[in-house]
Amino acid sequence: MEKKLAEYKCDTNEALSLKLVRFPEDVDDDGTTFHPEYSHQLFGDDEVAFGYKGLQIQLFYTAGNLSTLFKVKYSLKVTDTFDCVEPDDIEGKIRGIIPAGFTSNTDDFVSLLEKEANFKPFGTLLHTYTVHNEEAGELTYQIHKADITCPGFQEYHERLQTFLMWFIETASFIDSDDDRWDFFLVFEKYNKDGETLYATVGYMTVYNYYVYPDKTRPRVSQMLILPPFQGEGHGAQLLEAVHRFYCGLPKVQDITAEDPSENYVKLRDFVLSKLCQSLPAFAVDKLPLGFSDEMVKEAQDKLKINKVWYHSAVNYHLISTLMHCEGIQPYEITEPLGVFVQKNQRELAKMKKCLRPEELVSHMGQMDTRTQHEELEKSYQIIVEDYRRIIERLASQA
Ligand SMILES: CC(C)(COP(=O)(O)OP(=O)(O)OC[C@H]1O[C@@H](n2cnc3c(N)ncnc32)[C@H](O)[C@@H]1OP(=O)(O)O)[C@@H](O)C(=O)NCCC(=O)NCCS
């Protein structure tokens, strides 16, 4: 019986095909398909759907407006109740997260592509940049800031946020009605039959918290660059544009992030270290002198960097400066940051053993901020030592 049951199980990350469609021929082109990284929020921790053989779930979107095609196909489905196990309600689960108004007819979906020429980016233009692509040449991208009052945006955002379920492990949908949300969107300009069209590339949501008496603290909530566009620098462009936008607002105290994931922290270190390079206190010749109050002040005043992040960004800045020194050997740089992460994990494991879950939550929060700050400062000292030693060795060889 177990063997028979297994025949009716499908890996939902494989079964679900996603697509961003620009041209009718994209619909049947497997090269434009991508799959979720996660589907556990809908299909359970083992990411398996039961009751079907050859299950295929299609969630295709028009490239700009994200008009949706939703189809479920399979070769066999268990008909009667099967050893007291019913087939999973695939349609119901997916309908629970995608907004109404989708089509299940491929021809209707293809005809919606004609309306894509009417789709224009929401909100105000913040930043334009170009990226060189091997095949397509120079491509132009735009970052826009929108809010919930932009006509048509709420419906578009409901379609866009469905992608979070598939690419962020702990994703949840936001209550976009709240006017404290800011939305930052990235679009690619492309040409179709001589017309300029816009394709959705990714986005970020930021919540403006109030800080007594008259300041705000924007907190980055979610950020997603859609998979076909990842690794091309769009995440860095988006985060930098968002930082620059809030830095220009006098009422902003500093910029924070909600429960930042490892990917987000890596991207943030990359962007902040780039932004720090332009500040006099972070000039390369000042770095070996150690962490200074001047750095803290400049990072806070000019970049509105939250204090927990300084050391992380400075460490990254130092390491990348070192990496670009000629003659440097990678093994010469010790790994205090790696050690810090391991140590932090050991501390957490120890705590988990002796604390009740409700105590753990508050201890973790406190420990994270306090130890991160202290440990990053220690690791900074070690990196500075490495830096001095290497510079001296290189100078003695010159
Ligand atoms: C994380 C994410 C936003 C990054 O966007 P991206 O456009 O792919 O990143 P970029 O190409 O702009 O990266 C710029 C630099 O940041 C650093 N970086 C970004 N993501 C990284 C990662 N996952 N690991 C290590 N470094 C990373 C790298 O230094 C990179 O430069 P390089 O490619 O020359 O090494 C994107 O991959 C994504 O949406 N992932 C899924 C959802 C997610 O994890 N969101 C964040 C938490 S809410």
Side-chain angles (χ1 to χ4, degrees), residues 226-265:
L226 292 165
F229 303 96
Q230 283 174 13
E232 295 178 353
H234 303 296
Q237 288 279 358
L238 176 58
L239 191 57
E240 185 175 337
V242 168
H243 260 270
R244 288 192 189 282
F245 170 76
Y246 287 119
C247 284
L249 302 182
K251 67 173 179 178
V252 169
Q253 179 160 302
D254 59 9
I255 304 157
T256 65
E258 179 186 333
D259 192 15
S261 70
E262 208 183 312
N263 281 347
Y264 180 80
V265 170

Side-chain angles (χ1 to χ4, degrees), residues 191-219:
N191 191 291
K192 188 177 178 185
D193 304 329
E195 274 187 287
T196 299
L197 272 70
Y198 293 86
T200 301
V201 170
Y203 82 119
M204 183 193 278
T205 53
V206 183
Y207 193 78
N208 287 294
Y209 276 91
Y210 164 72
V211 180
Y212 180 81
D214 58 357
K215 295 274 183 195
T216 64
R217 173 172 273 167
R219 190 162 87 172

